[in-house]
Structure formats: C-alpha cells, structure tokens
Amino acid sequence: MRRLIDHGFTLLTGMAALAACGLLVGIAAVILERGLPALSWEFVSRAADGFGGGGVVYQIAGTVLLLLTALGVAAPTAIAVALLATVYLDRGRSRRRLTLALYALNGVPSIVFGIVGLAVFVKGLGWGKSWLAGGLVLALMILPTLTVALAERIRAVPRSYRTAASGLGLSRSAVVWSVLLPQSLGGLVSGTLLGLARAAGETAPILFTAAVFAGATLPAGVKESPILALPYHIFVLAQDSFDPAAGAALWGSATVLLALVLSLSIAALPTRLRTHEEARHG
Amino acid sequence: MRRPALVLAILAAAVTVSPVRAALRINGSTTVNPVVVDAAAELRAARGGEIQVDTLGGSSGGIAALGDGRADVAMSSRPILESDRERYPGVDFRATAIGSDALALVVSRDVWEGGLRSLTRPQLLALYEGRIRNWRELGGPDRRVVFFNKEPGRGTWEVFAHWAYGDSSEAPLVSLPEVGSNEEARSKVASTRGAISQLSAAWADGERVFALGIELADGSVVRPTPQAVAAGEYPLSRPLFLVTDGEAGRDARELIDFLLGARGREIVERHGYLPASPAVTTPEEAP
Amino acid sequence: MTRWLTWTLSLLTGVVVLGSALLLLLESLPAWRHSGLGFLTGTRWFFRASEFGAAPMVYGTLVVAVLALGLAAPLAFGAALFTAEVLRGRARLAVKGTIELLAGIPSVVYGLLGVLLLRDWIYRLLSPFDPLSGDTLLTGGVLLAVMILPTVTTLADDSLAGVPAGQRRAARGLGLTRAEVAATVVVPQAAPGLVAALLLGLGRALGETIAVFLVVGRRDNQWPEWLLSPKPIAEAGQTLTTKLGGSEVWIAWGDPLHWGAIVGLALLLLSLVVGLTVTGLRLAPPGGRDA
C-alpha cells in the first residue's frame, strides 16, 4: 500500500511537471505553425507597407531601441543599488528594508508603470509619445531583476577575497572595482538578459508612453518621437486585422517576438540555474 | 562608472538633434485607420517624410489628441460635437469628409438563420437597454441576446447613440460587454450565439457576421448596401473625417488631397467604404 | 567617488519611485474628493454621469486572480514536488529550465492564444450553463493560471529544495517512502515558502493586463447578488487592469475628475499588489531567490 502511494505520488507529480512543460511546447507549436510560413528575409528586413503589409524591421528596431535605452539606464543604477545593498549599507535592518523595497518594486504591475509614464512624461513633461519615456519606464520596471541578480552574485563572492584585498591595503572602492564587480559580472549579465526578456515582451508600459501603430521610423529627438514596437504591433493587429495578409503579419510578428524573448531567456538560463543550485548546496 | 556619463552624453545629443521635417502625427478612429495607413505609405514612398498613425481611444481619443496638441490630424468616424468645442474652446476644428461608411447592426449566424433580418428603431432600443432579452420576442430563434457594445469614445458608438437617442449624451447608462476595434467586434459576434453589435458595414462580411436591415417608420426595410448608403436611404451612414486645427498645414493638406483624389478614392473603396463625392481638385496625383 | 555615485544613483531611484507613488496619490485627489470612500465601495461606474465606484472592478480583479491561483496551484505544487523530490541532476535542470522559459512568453502572445483558442474552449465547456459568450471571468482566470504557473512552480521548487538534504536522508533511513518524506518532512518545513509562492503568484495575476484585456469581456458594473455567488464567473466582467488598459484612459485625459478616477484605480491596484508582495516576503524572506 505504501509503495502504491509512493508510485502514485511520483506519477501524479510527474504528470503535473509534464503538463507544465507540455504547455511551453504547445504554445510554441501553435505560434510557429502559423508564424513560420509568414517569415522570410523580407519580413524582418523591410519596413511595413500599408496596413499589415510589408515587413517589421522598424518594429524590431523600435523594440531594440527601447531595450538599449532601458539597459543603459537600468544597468548603472542596478550596480549602484546592488553595491548599496551589499557593501555600503550597514548590515541588518536597512539592508532587509532595501531588499523588501526592491521586491515590492518588482511586484508593481506593468500597467501601473504605463499610467505613471503617461502622467509624468506624456502629460507632465509634454513629450507626447516618446521612445525615451518608454525606455525609462521599462528601466524602472527591470531594475529589481538586474539588481537582485547582481547582489546575489556579489554576496556569493567569498569573504576571504574581500579580506585579502583589504589586507593588501586596497580602499573599499578599489575592492569594489577590482574584486567584487569583476567576480559577479555573470550575475549582472544573466539578470540583464532576464530583465530584457521581460521588457521586450511588455505591451502595457509602452501602450501609453512610447509606441504608435504605423509610420514611425528611427527617432530624431525626444519630444513627439514615438517608435514602433513588436508587442504593440501584435496587440493592435490582434484586434484589427482586416485582411488575411494582416493575419500573416500578426503571426509572423508573434514568432519574431517569441524568438527574441526566448533567446534572451535561454541565454540567461545556464547562469541562472547554476546560481540557484549553488545557493542551495553551497 | 563611466557609463552614466556616456548615456547622458548620448541623451543630450539626441535632444539637440532636431528632425529635418517634423513628422505628421495622426490619431483616432480604427475605422479610418486602415485607409490612412495605406495612404500614408504611398505618400511616404512618393515624397518621403514621416507620417505617424496611432489609434488609441478611437475617434474621441483622436479628437482629444488634436485638441491637446498631441496630434496634427484626427481621424474620426463621427462629426465634431458641441461638447468637443466646449472642451477645447481654443481649437478651431475643421473636418473634411474623405469618404463614408454605413454603421451596420450585425448578428451572428444563428440569429440570421433563425429568421431575423431587420429591426425597427424601438426594437433596437429595447435590445440595447436589455428590455428584450431573447430573440424569440422579435421572431428570431429562442436564444438569449448578447449585445456587444462598442466602447464609448468610438465613433461607431457615437453615431449609433446619436441615431438611437437623438444625442449621445441622452443614451441610457448601460453596462454591456464592450468591444473596441472592428475586428474584435466581428470575431466576438461571429463566435458567440445570439450576438449583436454595432459594426462598420465594411466589416460585415455576410459569412461570419450578418448585417441586419433597418425597418423604417413606413415599414420599408433598408439594408446597408453601398447603393443605399450612396443614395442616402440607409439611416445609419456616416461620413469619415480627417480633422485639423484651423487650416490644414502643408503635410496634412497633402494627405487630405491625396485621399480625395483618384488613387485615394481607390484606397477608400478597397477598404469597403464609399469614397467622398467626386473631388473638384486637380486630377494630378502622387503615383 | 564610488561611494558617492552609489548613494546618488540609489537615492535618485528612490526619489523617482516614491515620487511616482506620490504623483498617483496627488493626481487621484479629485476623485477622492468627489466620491470619498464611495470610490472604494461604490458599485456603479458611469463616467458620463460622473459616477465612479471601483468595487466591481476590484471584485473582477480578485475573482480572476483567485481562479487563476486555484487552478495553477495544484499543478504548480505537483510540478515543484516532482522537480525537487523526484528528479536529480540534468533531468531536473532541464525540466526547471523549460518551466522558467514558460515564464518568459510575452503576455500579448498569451492574449493572442486566448482569443484564438481559449475563448472557444470555455464557451463550449460552459455550454450546459448557457453562457452568454466565451468572454468570461473564467476565461481570464484560466489564461492567467497558465501565465502564473511558472512563477509559482519555480518559487515553490526553491523553497522545497531549500530543505536540507540531510533531513531527507535521515527520514529515508528510517524507512519512509519518498511520498512520506515529502508529506511529513519537506512540505511542513517549506510551508511558509509555499505560501509565499502563492502570494507572489497572486500578485502577478492581479497585475496582468494585456492578456486578460483580450478575453474578459470588459463589462462594467458586474456585481454579484451575494458575495460568493458563482454566477458572475461565467459572465463577462471588468478588472482594474483591463479598465486601465482600455480606451477610457484617453477619454479621461483632459478631465481632472475622470482622470483622477482612472489614476485612483491605478493606485488601488498598486496598493493591492504591493501589499500582497510584502506579506509574501515577510513569510519567506528572499534568500537565493531571483526577482
């Protein structure tokens, strides 16, 4: 009887895990089945032509620009906050509070970022829709992911390295630059990849702040300089695809976005899993 | 820590570089959108320059964007209302009709095949207000009524409310499931039994969703056919507008003229709308 | 210099975050002044009549999120038990990796699949109850369940696998089967972490916008006759996020009161989610867990 229950346990939990994995495969299959026929070199290298025709090169460019902006702002800030959390803040209560704040920020729904961005940049500063507004909003959104991943690696740097470096007479900032940061670069990279994967797929934060449906190319300024973006493109086409060509563009765009996001997450995966297992057994 | 400085430098450079030719910003109705997007693509190919098109918030969203100075041209599937002028006293709204479209009441296949082919205005009001809850009461199939309402702010809804209630501000406060854009309305009606919604007639394909006729007071039934719309017989037709603040600027003028010209009229027709009455402007068009 | 930069950038971030929250509060003031507490308790939202009651949207948000959690939790805990207690080595990493990838799929893609497949499935599934359409709170809940599944699984696996291996070995040495070890040793110890996983999953479900937007029906003022009545689940509804993602935001733009009401909804959503997240973290303080 006990054996039976044990086998039942393995079977049931195994089926749950299989179902979870099956979902990923299923979703990818449905998208690819419809999207792959639409993919071609022209599709990813040409500008959109009319409603749902042509390619999506500016949607890709817009998404990449958003990611680079978010990265440029979030990476230095994440380094600063992570150092604060691991080196400069006194141990104990204030560190715990900072961590709590980071997790709380991580939990903020993306649509709230969108509304804040709308209030601050579009309404307050009068920028209209702008790539910079979208990039800044996304930067704030991915900041916790980057920071926590980096802080985790900094904490994992053996205590002895720090003491040895200090013993050599290095100042605290020299220890930071020559020991801590180089040792924990992997955390920053995997956190960044993960954050970017999330930022690339988000529609809600750029809905009001950065993206328009058609006509934008590369921005030449900040004010009134919207961009096109893949997720927003899909969102609009999903609601308004009139002719079959637009349907092909819709699934093609979804395939491109999925490929972009999954390759970012896959690149982050090895470091991420290793960190997890180390955190457990180390 | 050299990175922040670099980023700042790039940002500063980006701010100071100003565009050669300011982009033409267009916002508004999803009904007008496909036409303008196609026209913009051809204009861009012919003369360069940027034309940005966006549709958040529908007609009212576009008019608000024009009023706030966030857009240069609003696309609207409803006329400018007194309330718009009150809200933006400083703005001189000038609307140019670039075509027209009939607003159809579309139903799902089971309602259509159940024998319901037309509605009177009082019947429509009763459906909208939830006083009629089953199609049987109108001689249709025994099926509950599912009214997908166009979200407020959409030109389609404004035109519907104006026809049904005289003025959209008189429309009763109802809470129905809402649909936004045209494709969303069409696919939801098509996939739901007993469904009805207000939809641009150009999207009523007669395969997945079916346009009801309107039974007039004298008992005659008018269907939203292009002929009936052109002849002014179908009561729920509406012009599609491009709206500017005061005299249209050079780029906006170019777009409007293009849409009124031969090639533009072709585009309007291709998307299932009726072109504006023949333009008196010059026949030379951009390719 | 490094220290100075660190503090400056961090403080700047703090100011931005707190400033944003403050801004939401300030911009929503007209709505609070207009409706008072009625903004929270009112069950009617008709902006054309300047009536702003958020309760039906809070209700919709909670129903969708709780449904999602109820559906996702058994599957997520099952999968987490499998990865933490049964699988070893490479197989474990492969399954964990796959599940984490699932978390990366953009919500607009989920929405697309919801429109394409899920709405029709739910419509057919509910057909004995004669549903009005396939756009229901249940549809939103099921879609969200799939979306939060990887989050809950990963967090649950973290807390299960965090139980020291020595305790498992000791229990196995006493002759307990794997299932018995899991039930008597591992799960009780990991319990706070499991609850935290649920709460953080709930937080994600509450805040998701785009996917729910496309399948929930966006019907205002759905208020149940009695609080736990199951009927509205099979009907269209509106959540805080779908309201915030919709066209009303643009209509509200120029009108301080209406805009205030919209921002008030954002503030409400923010407090709800952050409150839950902080509670979850209190239960299981983050250790080796990623954001």
Side-chain angles (χ1 to χ4, degrees), chain A residues 152-153 270-280, chain C residues 290:
Chain A
E152 232 171 47
R153 298 296 292 187
T271 331
R272 198 169 145 71
L273 287 177
R274 203 179 325 125
T275 312
H276 271 240
E277 302 303 299
E278 276 169 11
R280 175 160 320 123
Chain C
D290 285 48

Side-chain angles (χ1 to χ4, degrees), chain A residues 153-194:
Chain A
R153 298 296 292 187
I154 294 181
R155 270 189 218 107
V157 173
R159 184 112 234 127
S160 57
Y161 286 27
R162 280 201 218 184
T163 28
S166 304
L168 288 172
L170 292 181
S171 69
R172 192 149 64 163
S173 52
V175 174
V176 164
W177 286 108
S178 55
V179 179
L180 290 184
L181 286 182
Q183 287 288 328
S184 46
L185 196 66
L188 185 64
V189 171
S190 75
T192 299
L193 291 169
L194 211 65

Side-chain angles (χ1 to χ4, degrees), chain B residues 10 26 29 64 66 91 118 127 131 158 167 176 213 215 251:
Chain B
I10 293 174
I26 306 176
S29 157
L66 180 66
V91 176
S118 65
L127 287 169
R131 285 181 281 119
E158 296 283 346
D167 187 298
L176 299 164
E215 190 179 331
D251 292 350

Side-chain angles (χ1 to χ4, degrees), chain C residues 106-127:
Chain C
S107 56
V108 70
V109 171
Y110 279 109
L112 206 55
L113 297 176
V115 171
L116 182 80
L117 306 171
L118 191 63
R119 284 179 58 238
D120 291 340
W121 289 345
I122 298 284
Y123 193 37
R124 250 176 278 146
L125 180 79
L126 287 176
S127 57

Side-chain angles (χ1 to χ4, degrees), chain B residues 1 4 27 54 56-58 60-61 64 68 70 87-88 128 143-146 148 151-154 157 168-181 184 187-189 191-194, chain C residues 2 5-6 9 44-49 51 115 119-120 123 127 129-135 213-222 235-236 238 243 245-248 250-255:
Chain B
M1 274 305 162
N27 202 329
D54 201 16
L56 269 178
S60 297
D68 292 326
R70 284 178 291 120
R87 194 159 150 188
Y88 300 102
Y128 185 72
R143 171 77 58 193
R144 278 200 292 170
V145 174
V146 184
F148 288 105
E151 37 181 37
R154 297 279 177 187
W157 184 84
S168 56
S169 63
E170 300 291 317
L173 302 171
V174 296
S175 300
L176 299 164
E178 285 178 0
V179 287
S181 55
E184 194 187 5
S187 73
K188 288 195 171 172
V189 169
S191 63
T192 306
R193 290 182 292 274
Chain C
T2 306
L5 260 178
T6 300
L9 267 180
R44 286 165 58 85
W45 180 287
F46 291 107
F47 73 89
R48 288 192 289 131
E51 287 186 62
V115 171
R119 284 179 58 238
D120 291 340
Y123 193 37
S127 57
F129 305 100
D130 191 23
L132 278 177
S133 76
D135 300 299
F213 182 88
L214 292 168
V215 299
V216 86
R218 309 203 294 283
R219 178 179 193 174
D220 272 334
N221 301 322
Q222 282 288 81
E235 290 177 3
Q238 181 86 279
K243 190 60 140 185
S247 67
E248 227 187 282
W250 295 109
I251 299 175
W253 179 277
D255 174 355

Side-chain angles (χ1 to χ4, degrees), chain B residues 3-286:
Chain B
R3 193 120 64 156
L6 186 65
V7 171
L8 282 179
I10 293 174
L11 291 187
V15 176
T16 45
V17 176
S18 57
V20 187
R21 183 175 186 174
L24 184 67
R25 300 161 303 160
I26 306 176
N27 202 329
S29 157
T30 59
T31 306
V32 187
N33 180 42
V35 174
V36 170
V37 167
D38 278 359
E42 295 200 5
L43 272 181
R44 205 179 298 125
R47 66 152 175 78
E50 276 199 15
I51 302 179
Q52 298 162 352
V53 192
D54 201 16
T55 59
L56 269 178
S59 299
S60 297
I63 289 168
L66 180 66
D68 292 326
R70 284 178 291 120
D72 306 307
V73 179
M75 305 181 280
S76 178
S77 57
R78 64 165 173 84
I80 298 294
L81 304 172
E82 206 40 54
S83 55
D84 297 322
R85 300 195 195 278
E86 274 166 24
R87 194 159 150 188
Y88 300 102
V91 176
D92 172 23
F93 289 108
R94 304 260 182 103
T96 312
I98 53 146
S100 59
D101 169 38
L103 185 156
L105 293 154
V106 296
V107 292
S108 51
R109 179 176 285 277
D110 60 322
V111 177
W112 180 256
E113 289 179 349
L116 194 84
R117 297 295 155 94
S118 65
L119 285 175
T120 65
R121 204 178 75 143
Q123 285 172 341
L124 181 61
L125 299 195
L127 287 169
Y128 185 72
E129 290 159 22
R131 285 181 281 119
I132 292 180
R133 291 171 176 278
N134 195 307
W135 290 108
R136 202 179 38 206
E137 297 172 49
L138 298 175
D142 180 11
R143 171 77 58 193
R144 278 200 292 170
V145 174
V146 184
F147 202 124
F148 288 105
N149 197 13
K150 269 281 196 175
E151 37 181 37
R154 297 279 177 187
T156 309
W157 184 84
E158 296 283 346
V159 170
F160 161 82
H162 186 82
W163 179 71
Y165 296 100
D167 187 298
S168 56
S169 63
E170 300 291 317
L173 302 171
V174 296
S175 300
L176 299 164
E178 285 178 0
V179 287
S181 55
N182 289 319
E183 177 57 27
E184 194 187 5
R186 177 165 64 176
S187 73
K188 288 195 171 172
V189 169
S191 63
T192 306
R193 290 182 292 274
I196 179 170
S197 183
Q198 314 98 325
L199 180 65
S200 159
W203 300 65
D205 50 18
E207 288 166 23
R208 298 198 291 151
V209 298
F210 302 83
L212 295 177
I214 301 287
E215 190 179 331
L216 302 176
D218 61 8
S220 62
V221 172
V222 194
R223 302 197 169 284
T225 57
Q227 296 79 359
V229 177
E233 287 162 3
Y234 184 73
L236 269 164
S237 71
R238 49 162 177 189
L240 304 175
F241 296 105
L242 290 185
V243 190
T244 53
D245 178 6
E247 202 59 42
R250 187 176 56 125
D251 292 350
R253 189 75 254 159
E254 236 174 68
L255 175 72
I256 293 171
D257 286 344
F258 176 78
L259 278 167
L260 294 175
R263 180 69 191 124
R265 294 160 59 83
E266 264 176 58
I267 294 177
V268 170
E269 260 187 310
R270 186 171 79 218
H271 286 284
Y273 308 128
L274 217 66
S277 39
V280 278
T281 43
T282 52
E284 290 90 25
E285 294 303 331

Side-chain angles (χ1 to χ4, degrees), chain A residues 65-246:
Chain A
L65 179 67
L66 281 179
L67 294 186
L68 289 180
T69 313
L71 178 62
V73 178
T77 316
I79 295 178
V81 180
L83 284 179
L84 194 69
T86 51
V87 179
Y88 291 106
L89 261 192
D90 291 331
R91 221 159 291 285
R93 187 179 277 186
S94 37
R95 276 195 196 181
R96 273 205 304 278
R97 282 204 183 136
L98 180 63
T99 317
L100 196 66
L102 276 175
Y103 276 85
L105 182 63
N106 189 51
V108 173
S110 53
I111 187 74
V112 173
F113 283 113
I115 296 283
V116 168
L118 175 64
V120 174
F121 298 112
V122 186
K123 216 169 184 299
L125 297 178
W127 282 6
K129 283 188 176 181
S130 162
W131 58 277
L132 186 58
L136 289 175
V137 167
L138 288 177
L140 199 56
M141 198 186 82
I142 63 172
L143 180 66
T145 312
L146 270 67
T147 310
V148 171
L150 178 61
E152 232 171 47
R153 298 296 292 187
I154 294 181
R155 270 189 218 107
V157 173
R159 184 112 234 127
S160 57
Y161 286 27
R162 280 201 218 184
T163 28
S166 304
L168 288 172
L170 292 181
S171 69
R172 192 149 64 163
S173 52
V175 174
V176 164
W177 286 108
S178 55
V179 179
L180 290 184
L181 286 182
Q183 287 288 328
S184 46
L185 196 66
L188 185 64
V189 171
S190 75
T192 299
L193 291 169
L194 211 65
L196 291 186
R198 189 175 162 208
E202 280 286 356
T203 314
I206 59 171
L207 190 65
F208 301 127
T209 55
V212 293
F213 174 65
T217 50
L218 291 175
V222 168
K223 272 194 170 188
E224 307 290 355
S225 301
I227 37 103
L228 309 180
L230 281 172
Y232 185 67
H233 194 64
I234 299 171
F235 183 61
V236 174
L237 283 181
Q239 298 181 71
D240 242 334
S241 54
F242 187 26
D243 54 90

